[in-house]
């Protein structure tokens, strides 16, 4: 199975992974579920989230992504938080597609 790896500095990777143990301050509502996350991590990773969250300052903000499957969003957030993903090719393709749609730098940077 292929592996998706995020290029983060060791310090940033450790910080993001540590943040997972703290409650999120926003909720992403997807097609068939919702997931909590941290605004600062989302904004650092994605132009879409930066634009969506820059106009809403209240804690507990909701971001609506009804076109995105919950399972894909959960995997995408695991990747954003610095976890390596081992997924099949079809799932990897979907993660990359959604990541590009959300303007995630990890998927839009040239190699």
């Amino acid at each position: 199975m292929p592996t998706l790896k995020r290029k983060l500095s060791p310090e940033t990777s450790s910080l993001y992974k540590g943040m997972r143990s703290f409650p999120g301050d926003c909720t992403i509502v997807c097609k068939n579920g919702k997931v909590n996350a941290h605004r600062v991590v989302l904004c650092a990773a994605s132009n879409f989230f930066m634009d969506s969250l820059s106009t809403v300052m209240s804690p507990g903000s909701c971001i609506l992504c009804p076109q995105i499957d919950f399972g894909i969003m959960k995997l995408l957030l695991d990747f954003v938080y610095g976890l390596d993903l081992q997924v099949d090719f079809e799932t990897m393709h979907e993660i990359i597609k959604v990541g590009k749609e959300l303007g995630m730098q990890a998927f839009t940077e040239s190699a």
Side-chain angles (χ1 to χ4, degrees):
M1 241 188 252
T3 301
L4 277 175
K5 293 186 178 201
R6 181 139 188 237
K7 296 177 186 174
L8 295 174
S9 71
E11 296 82 11
T12 302
S13 180
S14 177
L15 176 67
Y16 282 7
K17 287 175 184 174
M19 288 182 74
R20 293 300 296 262
S21 64
F22 293 98
D25 57 359
C26 67
T27 302
I28 303 170
V29 180
C30 301
K31 183 188 306 182
N32 47 359
K34 59 185 179 179
V35 62
N36 291 323
H38 300 91
R39 298 164 64 102
V40 68
V41 175
L42 294 176
C43 290
S46 161
N47 293 331
F48 170 80
F49 290 123
M50 175 70 87
D51 292 343
S52 298
L53 292 168
S54 65
T55 58
V56 180
M57 301 309 281
S58 61
S61 302
C62 283
I63 303 165
L64 301 178
C65 297
Q67 76 284 10
I68 300 173
D69 180 77
F70 170 76
I72 295 297
M73 181 61 77
K74 181 100 173 69
L75 288 169
L76 196 53
L77 288 179
D78 286 344
F79 179 77
V80 165
Y81 278 93
L83 299 178
D84 294 341
L85 302 179
Q86 287 194 328
V87 294
D88 60 54
F89 283 108
E90 184 178 328
T91 303
M92 180 187 291
H93 175 74
E94 187 65 19
I95 290 168
I96 292 169
K97 182 182 116 204
V98 171
K100 285 181 178 181
E101 289 171 1
L102 295 176
M104 294 190 156
Q105 290 85 0
F107 299 112
T108 58
E109 293 173 346
S110 51

